[in-house]
Amino acid sequence: EDKVVQSPLSLVVHEGDTVTLNCSYEVTNFRSLLWYKQEKKAPTFLFMLTSSGIEKKSGRLSSILDKKELFSILNITATQTGDSAIYLCAVPEYGGANNLFFGTGTRLTVIP
Amino acid sequence: EPEVTQTPSHQVTQMGQEVILRCVPISNHLYFYWYRQILGQKVEFLVSFYNNEISEKSEIFDDQFSVERPDGSNFTLKIRSTKLEDSAMYFCASRMTDTYNSPLHFGNGTRLTVT
């Protein structure tokens, strides 16, 4: 069975800190990995990664994939209280309609 | 930016009642999905829908669930006889294609509370 495991489950940091969130996966026929940010409601798309070693960057957020070691990290530098959210990692399931299989998420809390 | 909209934002119903959750996907998207998130748990796939039929469904999506695209814009999830364990946040999502590199766009969800 495909698996997506995120760590840590929760994290509390102070504003200005840098955080690294981890996602490891075991999936048949890997094709891509996606990161989403979930605040109070809808998960919002952050990044899609398909190739090893190529960093995707958006402002203070960046992410990279290691297809050999089967993991991805999401970095947030100079955290702000607005970064407080659950960060979800997901991979398309093998076969079928590429439906997303989600990890349990990392709950990040940034305190002033 | 176009978005997926869901109504209602919160629905309270009694056990055994039928509920219909409504979604308006992004207008030029062709693939539609329902996901569920029980409080404190992971987001789980329920069903995918394309060309007016279900393309895939999970084990959760049993006979009490059904989906429909009654017109050109709405996409609905019906739960026929709700159970306490159906209480969850239900997310609708859509995307243009079903390829692995086409991200899902989620609505804000409907929180269903079954009492």
Side-chain angles (χ1 to χ4, degrees):
Chain A
E1 184 182 297
D2 293 347
K3 286 184 187 173
V4 177
V5 179
Q6 293 187 245
S7 63
L9 290 180
S10 67
L11 191 55
V12 180
V13 299
H14 286 96
E15 262 190 324
D17 287 350
T18 292
V19 296
T20 298
L21 310 182
N22 303 291
C23 176
S24 63
Y25 60 89
E26 287 180 39
V27 294
T28 306
N29 193 26
F30 174 86
R31 290 154 297 175
S32 64
L33 183 146
L34 295 86
W35 284 97
Y36 282 82
K37 177 183 181 182
Q38 185 178 23
E39 296 178 82
K40 292 189 177 165
K41 293 186 176 178
T44 52
F45 174 71
L46 293 175
F47 298 113
M48 176 184 293
L49 303 156
T50 57
S51 302
S52 267
I54 298 175
E55 186 183 57
K56 293 277 182 97
K57 198 169 170 63
S58 176
R60 296 176 293 102
L61 277 67
S62 63
S63 185
I64 199 161
L65 177 69
D66 186 328
K67 288 164 78 172
K68 185 179 174 187
E69 300 297 329
L70 308 182
F71 75 91
S72 173
I73 59 173
L74 176 68
N75 279 319
I76 310 174
T77 58
T79 51
Q80 302 171 357
T81 54
D83 295 326
S84 297
I86 297 172
Y87 290 84
L88 301 169
C89 174
V91 295
E93 292 189 88
Y94 177 64
N98 288 307
N99 308 310
L100 291 182
F101 184 84
F102 283 87
T104 49
T106 293
R107 179 181 292 277
L108 174 66
T109 304
V110 182
I111 52 179
Chain B
E1 187 179 319
E3 56 182 33
V4 176
T5 56
Q6 290 186 241
T7 55
S9 57
H10 192 186
Q11 173 103 39
V12 181
T13 191
Q14 289 192 322
M15 202 165 52
Q17 295 296 303
E18 175 183 286
V19 294
I20 297 176
L21 311 184
R22 302 181 192 279
C23 170
V24 179
I26 295 174
S27 61
N28 61 346
H29 285 186
L30 300 176
Y31 295 83
F32 314 121
Y33 304 81
W34 284 100
Y35 282 78
R36 178 182 83 172
Q37 187 176 32
I38 295 171
L39 188 63
Q41 298 187 24
K42 64 171 68 175
V43 177
E44 301 173 291
F45 167 72
L46 291 178
V47 65
S48 57
F49 191 88
Y50 169 71
N51 199 27
N52 283 321
E53 58 183 33
I54 291 173
S55 43
E56 192 164 349
K57 57 185 181 179
S58 72
E59 292 174 355
I60 303 167
F61 194 88
D62 61 23
D63 291 344
Q64 67 165 333
F65 291 92
S66 62
V67 289
E68 196 178 29
R69 188 153 162 83
D71 53 45
S73 58
N74 290 287
F75 179 51
T76 62
L77 174 70
K78 182 192 288 186
I79 309 175
R80 256 179 282 282
S81 177
T82 50
K83 299 180 277 206
L84 294 176
E85 54 265 38
D86 294 327
S87 295
M89 182 74 92
Y90 288 81
F91 291 107
C92 174
S94 70
R95 57 183 174 178
M96 185 111 53
T97 73
D98 68 342
T99 57
Y100 70 90
N101 57 352
S102 176
L104 286 169
H105 298 265
F106 286 85
N108 276 328
T110 293
R111 179 169 295 287
L112 177 65
T113 303
V114 182
T115 61

